[in-house]
Amino acid sequence: MFDSLFVTKTSKSENRTYPLKLLSSTKNGEPNEYYVNDFAQVVEFDGYVKHQHTFIHAIDRLLPLSPTICDVLMDSSTYELNGKSISFMKQLFQLVFTKIHFKEENRLCEAFLANVSTIFIPTDDFVEKSMIPLQKRYYTALFHAINNDSLRPTKDAVREIKSDALDLLLNLVLSELVAGANGTSGHKFCKTPSHNNKYNITLVNDTHIQINGKVTSSGELSSLPALDGLMYVFDVDNLLDSFFNVLNIPLVEMIPRKTLFAMHYSNFVKELKFRKLGFLIDGSTTNQTIVLDSTDRDDIPDEEIRSEENRIEEDEEPRNFGVNSFSNKQSMLYRFLKGAVHIPSELTPDSPTYDRILTSRLCLKKRLGSCYKVKVSGSLNNGNYAVTFNDEVAMQPEPFEASGNNMIYVMDEDFLTPLSFKHTIADLISNGVSKKHLSHINIDKKECLQTLGYLNEYKLSLLTDNLRGYTVFLPCGNTIWEDRDEKRQQDYRSWNGLGLILKYLESNPKVMHDVLRGLFVEDLIYSDFGLENAEELSRSTRTLRGDPLNVSESYRSGDYNHIIRLNETSISVPLNSDILFNQGVIHITSKVLLPDDFRVSLKDLIRATQQEGQDEYSFLKLLEPYPKLADALGLNGSDQSSNYSIFVPSPEQLRSFNISSSYSRLWEFLELHLVPNSQVNTLLNCIHQGDSPYNHINNGSYVVQTNRTNGVFQCNKNPVTGKVYLQLQNSASTFGYNADRQVRIVSHGCSQVGLRSGSCVFLLEKPFSLGWFDQPDNFLHVHIGWISVGIGIIIGVILFGFMTTALVVCLSATSSKKKHSLLSPESVFTPSEPSYMRVTSDDDLNTGYYDYGYETDDDAMQNERERLLPGAKRKRQTSRYGASSLPIGAPNAPRYIHNNSIKGTLNRDRNLPPLNI
C-alpha cells in the first residue's frame, strides 16, 4: 500500500491522501502480473530515474477517481458491495447521518470519517449470525422512519438509537491505513479512534487480513480502495463465534426500553417517562410480562395524545366508578405483570393448554387491598399457537424477549383495565359470551338479564370500596363441567329453577335483599385459589350479608376444571374462567347461593301459589276445618317440622272444580294431596332429570305414594317440552275430566332449599279427582264451571234464533214457488208429445198393442185434461191410439195395409181421403 500525493481529506492532525494498492498475481509460485487498485495492469515496470531516485511503472489505463467511503455507504440505490449484501451497514450509516427531526443536530458522514482510513464491513449474513434479530431491528429502527414519516419516533428515541449506532460504527473504523505487507508489517496492533477497542491484525496469504487471529477478510480482492481509505468486507464462514464477539465489540443490551424502540413504541416510552414509570423499562426491573396495544404503535395516530406542555398529571385515584374508573397512570401499570411468561414454550402436544393468573403492578389498597390480576392463556391446535390476555388475542404468540427476562406481547385489540361491575355484566348480556375465547363458560342472556334486574332493583349493581375486594358468584349461565356429578347432595338451582321459592322471595323484598347480598363475598377468590399457593388450601371470610364463609378447594385431575367449596356447597370454577371487574372478580354459575340457614315455611310456600284476593279458595282455607292436620303440617306458626309434603292446586282450579271448605269429601281430597317426605326425593329426581347434559331423561321407575292407600302415581317427564306429569297407576281410560288420569306439576318449592329431606309444596295444574277412585256408574258425568254454562246458554240462544229465522225464510220461499206453478199458462197448453201420426211396423203386433185408428189433436190432449180435471169418483182409462206403440224416436218400417181388412174395420164415417182400390 502506498500513499499518493493526492490529498483527499484534511484535518488538524494530518492530511489523508488517495491510497494506491499494488497487487501481484502469482503463477507457479512466482509473481506473474501486477495491478494498481485492482483496475490498471502494470505493463512496464521498474523504470528507474537516477537523479530523482524514482521508479516509473507504466500502466495500461488511466486510474479512475474512486468514490469516497461515504459515497459508497450512503448510496441507497444499491445495497451490495463486491457481490456481497451489506444492507445493514448501509442502513446504519444512512440513519446516523440523516436528519430525522428538524431540531436535531446535523451530523455529517465526511466529518465522522475525516480521520478514518480503514473500515470493516460485515455482510448481512454475518450480521444475522452475529446478533439477535431484536438487536438488528433496534439498530435499523430509524431507517424505517427515513422512508415512512408515520414511523418517526420521539426525539429521545432518535437520540438514543443514533448514539448506539454511532458507538457500533466507531468500533469498525481505524485511523491508520492497514493493508499489505508494508501496512501491516506482518503483525500489527491498531486502536479504534475512540480508543475503546484494539485489534491484532495480521496478513494472511499476502493478500487478506485477519483480525484477532479468528476472522479473515473475504472475496477475491483483499481490500476495496476508496478515495479516502480502504474497505474490508467480512463474510460468514465456518467461524462458530460471531463477528462482534471476535472483535470484542459490545452490542446494545436489549432492555425493555430499547426493545420498545425497536418495536416502534417510542410514544409509549415517552408516556411512561412522563408518568414517572421509566424504571419499569430501564433494565432495573426484571422478570415481568408487558402487554401492549397494537394501537400504541408510533404509526397509529392517537387523537387523545397531548403535548407535554399541556398535560398535567392525573390523580392516582379516579373520582368516580364509571366505565373508565382508572387514571392513565393506573392503566399503564396494569400492563406490567409480575412474572415472565413465555407461553409457546409451555405448550406441547401432550399439554396443549396453558392457564395462569398473573399479578399486575396496579395495586389499590382502598379498592382491593391488593393488586389487580390478569388472566393468561395459551393453546396449541394443529401446530398453531394462540395466546390470550384477559381473553383477548395477541397478534402473535411469540413474545419479544427483552433482557432481564422481560416478555413483551402485543394485543390485537385494546388491552383495557377492568370495567365497573354493572358494565361488566352489561357486556356479558350484549356479547352473549364473556369472551370469544372463554370456551368453558356458557352465558345465558335471559338469566343474566333477570339477575341484573334484581341487582338494580335492590341497588347492588354499585358497590362501595371495602379494602378487600369482592368475589361475586353470579347466576348467569353455567360451566361445561357443572352438574357432572349426579350424586351431589346439594340441589341449588337458577332463578327459574327455584320455582315457588322465587315467588316467595319476590313477595318478600327484605328476604330477597338478603339472598342477593349473599352472592357477594368480601374477599378475592380467583379460579387458581389453592393452586398457585399450595399452602393456602382454605380461607375464612364472609359474605356481604355478614354470614361466615369457609372457602376451600379440591382439584379434579384430568382436565382444567377446579372445584371450590363454599361451606358445604361445591362450585365449578374452571381455571381462567374469572371475569374481572374493577372491584374484584365474577364467577359464572347456574346456582343461586342461598344462606345456610335459609328456611321457608310450608305456609309461605302455599301462599306463593296464590295471588291476593284468592283466600276464599286457598288451600289453606281447606285446612281450617282440620286444625290438628294444620298443626301436624306446621301451618299454625309452630316450629314443629312436618313429615309431609303437599300437592297444591291453584285457587282458580279449586274454584273451577267447586272445592271449598264445605266440600262433602274434603278429608278424602286432602288425604289424596298429602305425600310423605320419604317420597319427595323420588319426585325431585324425576323433576330434575335432564337438567344438565350429563343427566339424561330416562323416565325410570319414579313411583310416588300419596297418603291415600290407592293413591299411587307414576312420575314422567316429557323429554321435548320438559313438563312433568303425575299419572295414576293402573288406571283404565274413561271419559270425562282427565281421561288419562294425569296432572302436570307446574312448579315446586321446598322449605329447606338444597336438601332433599325437607317438606315441599308441588303446584298442580289441576287437582287430583276423587272420582278416579269411584266405581263407574256407566253414566257420563261432565264437570264444567258456571262460566262455561253461561257461555253455552248464550251460544245456544244465538243458534236457536239463527235456525228459527232460517226455517221461516225457507217456508216462505217454498209457498211462492207453488203459486207460480198452478197459474202458469205454459204448464197447461204445452203438449207433452208431438202431434203428428205415429207409424208402426209389423213387429208391433207381437207386443199386444193394436191400432185404434188415427190420433187426433183432441185425443192427444185427453190424458192431459184428465190429469188436470179428473172425474169425481171414476178414473177414466186412457185409450191407446195411433199406428204404433213404439217410443218416440224408435226406428220403424212402413206397414203394408190389406184392402179387405180396411173395409171391414171401417164402420163409421171418417174424414179420410178417398182410397183408390
Side-chain angles (χ1 to χ4, degrees):
M1 291 299 304
F2 303 95
D3 289 328
S4 70
L5 298 180
F6 177 43
V7 179
T8 58
K9 293 184 292 186
T10 60
S11 62
K12 295 180 180 180
S13 58
E14 57 180 331
N15 294 331
R16 301 293 175 179
T17 61
Y18 180 57
L20 294 175
K21 180 181 73 170
L22 185 62
L23 178 65
S24 66
S25 62
T26 60
K27 184 176 182 181
N28 298 324
E30 297 294 332
N32 183 25
E33 297 176 343
Y34 293 89
Y35 291 88
V36 179
N37 285 356
D38 304 319
F39 179 77
Q41 182 180 358
V42 179
V43 294
E44 294 183 10
F45 47 86
D46 292 342
Y48 180 68
V49 181
K50 179 178 180 181
H51 296 287
Q52 294 180 342
H53 301 287
T54 301
F55 286 94
I56 299 176
H57 305 281
I59 57 178
D60 61 348
R61 68 184 72 181
L62 185 66
L63 293 176
L65 189 63
S66 300
T68 64
I69 298 176
C70 286
D71 292 337
V72 173
L73 296 179
M74 295 294 289
D75 181 17
S76 60
S77 62
T78 180
Y79 288 92
E80 290 188 355
L81 181 63
N82 197 20
K84 302 293 184 179
S85 177
I86 58 167
S87 61
F88 174 77
M89 288 295 294
K90 281 201 167 190
Q91 291 177 8
L92 213 60
F93 263 83
Q94 292 171 23
L95 68 88
V96 169
F97 302 112
T98 300
K99 190 174 181 179
I100 297 177
H101 282 285
F102 295 107
K103 297 182 180 181
E104 181 186 354
E105 179 184 357
N106 191 13
R107 183 181 285 112
L108 299 177
C109 176
E110 292 76 11
F112 173 73
L113 296 178
N115 296 323
V116 173
S117 296
T118 304
I119 182 170
F120 305 141
I121 302 176
T123 63
D124 289 343
D125 292 337
F126 215 169
V127 172
E128 292 284 348
K129 183 178 179 181
S130 302
M131 64 173 58
I132 61 176
L134 193 58
Q135 288 175 324
K136 181 182 177 182
R137 184 170 179 171
Y138 169 75
Y139 279 119
T140 59
L142 293 182
F143 178 77
H144 302 289
I146 297 176
N147 301 318
N148 187 357
D149 289 340
S150 62
L151 286 174
R152 182 178 299 171
T154 61
K155 295 178 182 179
D156 291 340
V158 172
R159 188 182 303 112
E160 185 171 347
I161 295 174
K162 282 192 174 184
S163 176
D164 291 335
L166 194 60
D167 289 341
L168 178 61
L169 293 178
L170 286 173
N171 285 284
L172 296 175
V173 297
L174 298 175
S175 299
E176 304 175 49
L177 189 63
V178 179
N182 60 331
T184 59
S185 300
H187 182 80
K188 188 173 185 179
F189 287 94
C190 300
K191 288 185 178 181
T192 60
S194 60
H195 300 283
N196 293 329
N197 213 337
K198 184 172 67 173
Y199 305 124
N200 180 15
I201 301 175
T202 57
L203 187 63
V204 178
N205 298 328
D206 296 329
T207 56
H208 296 76
I209 65 170
Q210 189 177 67
I211 304 176
N212 295 341
K214 291 184 179 180
V215 59
T216 305
S217 60
S218 62
E220 296 179 0
L221 305 177
S222 61
S223 60
L224 300 175
L227 186 63
D228 52 354
L230 292 177
M231 298 177 291
Y232 286 95
V233 177
F234 294 86
D235 197 8
V236 64
D237 52 15
N238 295 327
L239 182 67
L240 298 178
D241 206 348
S242 72
F243 174 78
F244 300 104
N245 286 341
V246 171
L247 271 62
N248 297 320
I249 299 177
L251 298 176
V252 293
E253 180 186 2
M254 293 307 296
I255 61 176
R257 183 182 67 248
K258 295 184 185 295
T259 303
L260 292 173
F261 286 157
M263 298 167 59
H264 299 288
Y265 279 81
S266 61
N267 284 306
F268 181 76
V269 174
K270 182 179 180 180
E271 189 72 15
L272 286 173
K273 182 179 178 182
F274 178 78
R275 305 293 174 192
K276 298 181 175 57
L277 298 176
F279 66 93
L280 294 173
I281 57 174
D282 62 0
S284 60
T285 305
T286 60
N287 296 321
Q288 64 179 352
T289 300
I290 305 173
V291 184
L292 303 176
D293 293 340
S294 59
T295 56
D296 291 333
R297 267 176 53 111
D298 295 336
D299 57 338
I300 305 297
D302 189 356
E303 297 178 356
E304 298 181 359
I305 290 181
R306 296 166 292 173
S307 62
E308 290 191 16
E309 292 78 7
N310 297 329
R311 289 185 299 178
I312 57 174
E313 189 168 1
E314 293 89 344
D315 296 334
E316 292 189 359
E317 291 294 332
R319 297 182 179 180
N320 57 67
F321 297 102
V323 179
N324 185 12
S325 58
F326 296 92
S327 66
N328 287 343
K329 183 176 182 179
Q330 292 169 345
S331 298
M332 301 195 95
L333 283 170
Y334 189 66
R335 300 166 182 255
F336 292 85
L337 314 179
K338 299 176 182 178
V341 179
H342 192 284
I343 300 175
S345 63
E346 302 288 342
L347 300 173
T348 63
D350 296 332
S351 179
T353 58
Y354 175 83
D355 293 282
R356 189 177 176 185
I357 297 180
L358 298 181
T359 303
S360 72
R361 296 191 179 275
L362 174 58
C363 305
L364 297 178
K365 293 183 179 180
K366 181 179 178 181
R367 192 178 297 181
L368 287 184
S370 62
C371 300
Y372 283 86
K373 301 286 186 176
V374 174
K375 298 187 300 178
V376 182
S377 299
S379 62
L380 175 61
N381 186 15
N382 295 328
N384 299 320
Y385 293 92
V387 174
T388 63
F389 287 83
N390 284 352
D391 308 309
E392 297 292 349
V393 183
M395 290 185 63
Q396 58 183 27
E398 288 288 342
F400 293 89
E401 299 184 44
S403 63
N405 199 21
N406 289 276
M407 304 294 170
I408 303 177
Y409 292 87
V410 179
M411 306 306 298
D412 193 19
E413 299 179 3
D414 291 342
F415 183 70
L416 302 175
T417 51
L419 301 177
S420 64
F421 177 66
K422 186 174 183 178
H423 286 88
T424 301
I425 302 178
D427 278 352
L428 293 180
I429 299 173
S430 61
N431 294 334
V433 293
S434 54
K435 291 294 179 182
K436 53 183 172 292
H437 292 276
L438 198 56
S439 58
H440 34 251
I441 291 293
N442 298 320
I443 301 299
D444 188 337
K445 286 187 177 182
K446 185 176 180 181
E447 196 81 10
C448 280
L449 282 171
Q450 189 173 3
T451 302
L452 183 58
Y454 290 140
L455 296 177
N456 288 334
E457 181 181 355
Y458 292 94
K459 297 179 174 55
L460 290 175
S461 57
L462 294 177
L463 303 172
T464 58
D465 292 335
N466 62 352
L467 303 179
R468 293 184 298 274
Y470 296 93
T471 299
V472 187
F473 292 92
L474 201 66
C476 205
N478 65 283
T479 68
I480 61 176
W481 286 281
E482 205 159 16
D483 294 333
R484 183 176 289 186
D485 186 5
E486 298 181 7
K487 297 181 179 180
R488 61 190 184 281
Q489 295 181 354
Q490 302 291 337
D491 186 32
Y492 294 105
R493 295 287 155 186
S494 60
W495 293 114
N496 294 330
L498 290 176
L500 298 178
I501 297 296
L502 180 59
K503 290 188 175 182
Y504 165 75
L505 293 175
E506 291 176 338
S507 60
N508 293 272
K510 186 178 182 304
V511 181
M512 183 66 159
H513 187 252
D514 286 343
V515 168
L516 292 174
R517 287 166 61 89
L519 303 178
F520 296 82
V521 178
E522 291 195 282
D523 206 339
L524 296 175
I525 303 171
Y526 296 97
S527 60
D528 64 346
F529 175 80
L531 301 178
E532 187 68 20
N533 183 8
E535 296 179 357
E536 185 183 24
L537 299 179
S538 63
R539 184 189 304 174
S540 297
T541 181
R542 64 181 183 181
T543 65
L544 188 60
R545 181 175 176 260
D547 299 324
L549 192 67
N550 181 50
V551 183
S552 58
E553 71 86 27
S554 61
Y555 183 72
R556 177 179 293 161
S557 61
D559 50 37
Y560 282 87
N561 188 26
H562 190 207
I563 304 298
I564 293 180
R565 185 178 295 275
L566 307 177
N567 289 343
E568 298 301 323
T569 303
S570 296
I571 302 293
S572 173
V573 184
L575 294 179
N576 275 28
S577 64
D578 315 71
I579 298 176
L580 307 173
F581 69 102
N582 62 355
Q583 290 175 281
V585 59
I586 299 172
H587 295 300
I588 299 299
T589 180
S590 64
K591 303 174 182 178
V592 178
L593 302 181
L594 300 174
D596 291 339
D597 58 350
F598 183 81
R599 299 289 187 275
V600 182
S601 64
L602 277 181
K603 189 173 186 179
D604 289 331
L605 289 175
I606 295 175
R607 286 176 176 171
T609 63
Q610 65 187 47
Q611 299 177 358
E612 295 183 4
Q614 296 180 338
D615 295 339
E616 182 178 356
Y617 284 91
S618 167
F619 197 86
L620 293 174
K621 191 74 174 179
L622 302 181
L623 293 171
E624 289 183 357
Y626 306 100
K628 292 185 178 181
L629 177 59
D631 290 339
L633 295 175
L635 302 179
N636 292 332
S638 62
D639 296 333
Q640 179 182 358
S641 60
S642 173
N643 294 324
Y644 292 93
S645 296
I646 310 175
F647 292 110
V648 178
S650 64
E652 293 88 349
Q653 293 299 322
L654 291 175
R655 181 178 181 180
S656 176
F657 284 84
N658 198 23
I659 297 177
S660 62
S661 57
S662 60
Y663 182 40
S664 60
R665 303 177 66 182
L666 181 59
W667 177 257
E668 296 180 62
F669 181 83
L670 295 176
E671 192 176 32
L672 180 60
H673 287 76
L674 295 181
V675 58
N677 287 344
S678 59
Q679 303 290 313
V680 169
N681 190 41
T682 302
L683 192 55
L684 292 178
N685 288 333
C686 175
I687 293 174
H688 295 312
Q689 61 177 329
D691 285 355
S692 71
Y694 307 99
N695 182 14
H696 302 284
I697 297 178
N698 53 25
N699 283 327
S701 179
Y702 296 109
V703 180
V704 179
Q705 170 71 59
T706 65
N707 213 40
R708 184 185 176 98
T709 303
N710 54 351
V712 181
F713 291 87
Q714 173 76 37
C715 179
N716 296 299
K717 188 171 185 178
N718 190 311
V720 178
T721 63
K723 295 180 180 180
V724 181
Y725 295 90
L726 290 176
Q727 186 175 31
L728 187 65
Q729 271 197 337
N730 302 324
S731 61
S733 297
T734 60
F735 296 100
Y737 159 62
N738 270 350
D740 53 0
R741 300 182 180 182
Q742 179 175 276
V743 175
R744 182 168 73 93
I745 297 178
V746 178
S747 182
H748 74 283
C750 299
S751 59
Q752 297 180 358
V753 180
L755 299 178
R756 299 192 173 194
S757 57
S759 299
C760 301
V761 171
F762 299 91
L763 178 62
L764 301 180
E765 184 180 28
K766 293 181 180 180
F768 297 138
S769 175
L770 293 175
W772 295 346
F773 305 92
D774 297 338
Q775 294 296 327
D777 54 3
N778 298 323
F779 186 79
L780 178 63
H781 295 273
V782 180
H783 298 273
I784 55 177
W786 288 107
I787 296 177
S788 301
V789 173
I791 294 175
I793 292 174
I794 295 173
I795 294 175
V797 171
I798 293 174
L799 292 176
F800 177 77
F802 175 76
M803 294 179 65
T804 303
T805 304
L807 181 62
V808 172
V809 172
C810 291
L811 292 175
S812 300
T814 304
S815 177
S816 62
K817 286 183 178 180
K818 288 183 178 181
K819 289 180 180 181
H820 179 74
S821 176
L822 291 175
L823 298 176
S824 176
E826 291 82 4
S827 64
V828 178
F829 296 105
T830 301
S832 61
E833 294 181 356
S835 59
Y836 56 81
M837 181 183 68
R838 297 178 179 176
V839 180
T840 62
S841 65
D842 292 334
D843 297 333
D844 297 335
L845 297 175
N846 298 326
T847 61
Y849 292 101
Y850 299 94
D851 182 18
Y852 293 99
Y854 290 95
E855 185 178 29
T856 66
D857 293 338
D858 185 65
D859 295 332
M861 298 297 294
Q862 185 175 5
N863 289 342
E864 209 170 305
R865 287 196 302 270
E866 286 183 358
R867 288 194 295 272
L868 294 174
L869 301 172
K873 294 184 179 179
R874 182 173 61 86
K875 183 177 181 181
R876 185 178 176 178
Q877 184 176 2
T878 304
S879 299
R880 296 181 179 271
Y881 297 99
S884 174
S885 62
L886 291 174
I888 296 175
N892 53 40
R895 184 175 182 182
Y896 178 77
I897 303 175
H898 299 279
N899 295 335
N900 296 332
S901 61
I902 295 175
K903 293 179 178 181
T905 57
L906 293 176
N907 55 9
R908 61 187 180 94
D909 294 333
R910 297 176 180 270
N911 187 16
L912 298 173
L915 299 174
N916 297 323
I917 303 175

